[in-house]
Amino acid sequence: MKTPILVLMTGLGVAVTTLGSGPLSGPLMGGIAMADMQPEWYNCLTREVFTAEKQAWCDRWTTLQNGTYTVPAGFGPEAEMVTVTLENGRYEQPGQFRVELVNEPMWMVFGDLNGDGNDDAAAVLGVGVSDGSAVVTVLAAVMDIDGEAQALSPVVLGERVMLNGPITIDNQRIVVPQLTQTEVINRAFVTDNNRLSELAQLPTPERVEGVPDGTVVLSQTPDYAVRVFTEAGQPYINLFNKSTAILDVARGRALAIASVDGIRYQYTGHDGIPSVQVHVAPSGAQTIQVNDQNLDTETTVTGTVSYLPRIAMPPHAVLEVVLEDSSRADAPAITLASQQAIFGDRQVPIPFELVYDAEQINPRHTYTLRARILVDGELRFINTTHTPVITDGNPTHLEVQVDPVGT
C-alpha cells in the first residue's frame, strides 16, 4: 500500500521521497524554464531589521505557514478531502501523509483576486506517494491574506506539472504558465464562491484541410453563417447573411471574454453593421446572437458525437456535423445547417447544436444527420448508419456514434 505525501508548494521545485524525519528533497516538478520576471520574494529567516515592505511580506508568509487548508488525501476524483492546519509550515500524520510549505519563489504570489482591494494569495499543492511514482499538482487560493485568511477549495492542475515561469495574479485572475511536452498553456483561474474555477481556454487555431486557418467556431443557422477565427492571437468574426448573400461583418475585430461559463466572442456593430455575439460553453455548445436576437431560440437538433475505440484525438481535430434533406436519392443532399468545432482539450462525447428553420421542413421529406471527424484534413471517423431526424417521429436530440474510416 502506497503512503501519500502532500506538499503545499510555493516553491520552484520540490521532490517527494519518503516519510522520513528529514525534509522533502529532489525535483518533484521536473525542469522548469525560468521567466525573466519573477514575483517578489524575501528570506524571512534572516535577523536584520526588516524594511516595512519586507515585514509586510513576511507577515503574509507567516500566515501561510500557519494556515488551514482543505487538501485531497489521495488521487483521483474520489479522493477524500481533509482539513489540516500547518504549524511553522508543516503538518504530518505519521504513516499517512504530511503537508509542507516550501519556501522558494515562483509558486507563490500575492494580489487581489476578488476586487475588494485586499491582497489575497495563490499557492500550489503537490500530492505525492512515498515512492515518487505519482505526483498530482493542485492550485489553491487564500483570500484576504492580511485579514481573516480563508483558503478556497483547490483545483487539480495535473500530474508532475512543470511551469514556464512564475504564477501571477493579473486582473483578478491567477495565471499559471503550465509547460507541456509541446507548448506553454497559460491557464487562468478565478474565484467562484468558495472555490477556484478555471476559465475556458481560447482554442489554439491549427491549419486543417477544409477549415480556414485560425477557425475557432464555424456554424450555420437558417439565416446566417458565422465564423470566429484568430490572427496573431486576436479574435475576429465574419457574419454571412444568407438571405442577402452579403457578408454583413467582414473580419470584425472581436473581444474574447472568458468566464466560468465558457468564452464569449463579441463584436459591437456600428453604422448599420450588426452586432454579433458567439458564446462557446465549456462543453462546446454554441449560442449565436445577432443584434441581441438569440438565433438558438429557433428549432434545433442537438446531441453528442462519440466513438467506441479508446483513443484520444489531438487538439486540432475537427468535428463536423451536418443536417441534410436527403429525400431525393438521385440528387445531392441539401444542407439545412452545419457546425464545425475544433476539439481543443476536449474528447468525445462532443456536443453539437444545429439551428434550422422549421418552415423549411416538409413533413413528407427525410432529414438525416451526418457527422465526421477530421485530423489534418484526413477523414478519421464518420457515421456509417442512417441517422434520421425531425420527421416521421424521429428525434431532434440524439447520440451519434461515428466509426473509424475503413470499418
Side-chain angles (χ1 to χ4, degrees), residues 185-189 198-204 216 258 262-263 265 345:
I185 304 174
N186 290 310
R187 304 177 67 180
F189 303 85
E198 183 170 9
L199 296 178
Q201 293 289 312
L202 181 68
T204 302
V216 176
I263 297 180
Y265 302 96
D345 59 358

Side-chain angles (χ1 to χ4, degrees), residues 8 14 19 26 28 48 53 71 82 84 137 141 177 225 239 241 258 265 279 308 323 325 342 357 365 377:
L8 178 60
V14 181
L19 277 177
L28 174 62
E48 84 280 5
E53 292 79 7
V71 296
V82 298
V84 300
T137 310
L239 178 70
N241 190 321
Y265 302 96
H279 179 262
L308 293 180
L323 173 63
D325 183 341
I342 295 176
D357 186 352
H365 284 200

Side-chain angles (χ1 to χ4, degrees), residues 93-343:
Q93 283 190 5
Q96 296 186 33
F97 65 91
R98 82 182 189 191
V99 180
E100 184 175 341
L101 181 68
V102 182
N103 302 313
E104 297 180 18
M106 294 281 288
W107 293 57
M108 182 171 72
V109 68
F110 301 109
D112 188 1
L113 284 174
N114 57 3
D116 63 358
N118 297 320
D119 273 340
D120 310 301
V124 177
L125 300 84
V127 182
V129 294
S130 57
D131 63 3
S133 61
V135 175
V136 175
T137 310
V138 180
L139 177 69
V142 180
M143 307 306 295
D144 195 358
I145 195 67
D146 297 321
E148 296 294 327
Q150 178 186 4
L152 304 184
S153 297
V155 293
V156 175
L157 296 176
E159 293 189 15
R160 299 188 180 277
V161 167
M162 297 186 294
L163 295 184
N164 193 58
I167 60 174
T168 57
I169 293 178
D170 179 43
N171 194 25
Q172 299 176 29
R173 302 175 181 180
I174 303 173
V175 180
V176 179
Q178 187 170 332
L179 182 65
T180 71
Q181 293 181 345
T182 58
E183 62 181 342
V184 177
I185 304 174
N186 290 310
R187 304 177 67 180
F189 303 85
V190 295
T191 59
D192 182 16
N193 294 322
N194 291 322
R195 61 187 177 90
L196 275 181
S197 293
E198 183 170 9
L199 296 178
Q201 293 289 312
L202 181 68
T204 302
E206 300 284 349
R207 186 177 184 88
V208 181
E209 187 69 25
V211 179
D213 272 354
T215 295
V216 176
V217 173
L218 183 59
S219 189
Q220 293 190 56
T221 74
D223 300 315
Y224 294 99
V226 182
R227 177 188 171 210
V228 179
F229 61 99
T230 60
E231 291 182 1
Q234 303 299 319
Y236 296 87
I237 287 180
N238 283 352
L239 178 70
F240 179 76
N241 190 321
K242 293 183 176 180
S243 62
T244 62
I246 293 175
L247 198 62
D248 285 350
V249 177
R251 201 175 178 273
R253 177 69 171 85
L255 178 66
I257 304 172
S259 70
V260 295
D261 298 322
I263 297 180
R264 185 171 72 253
Y265 302 96
Q266 185 173 301
Y267 170 76
T268 302
H270 57 87
D271 299 330
I273 299 176
S275 297
V276 184
Q277 180 173 287
V278 180
H279 179 262
V280 183
S283 65
Q286 300 171 9
T287 302
I288 301 170
Q289 290 182 336
V290 176
N291 285 336
D292 297 327
Q293 178 186 1
N294 189 346
L295 303 185
D296 289 352
T297 59
E298 302 181 55
T299 317
T300 61
V301 173
T302 61
T304 60
V305 175
S306 61
Y307 51 75
L308 293 180
R310 298 176 61 86
I311 58 175
M313 288 290 100
H316 61 276
V318 175
L319 169 65
E320 179 185 78
V321 185
V322 182
L323 173 63
E324 298 175 325
D325 183 341
S326 54
S327 302
R328 295 181 56 183
D330 58 344
I334 300 173
T335 297
L336 274 67
S338 67
Q339 184 180 92
Q340 289 180 325
I342 295 176
F343 271 55

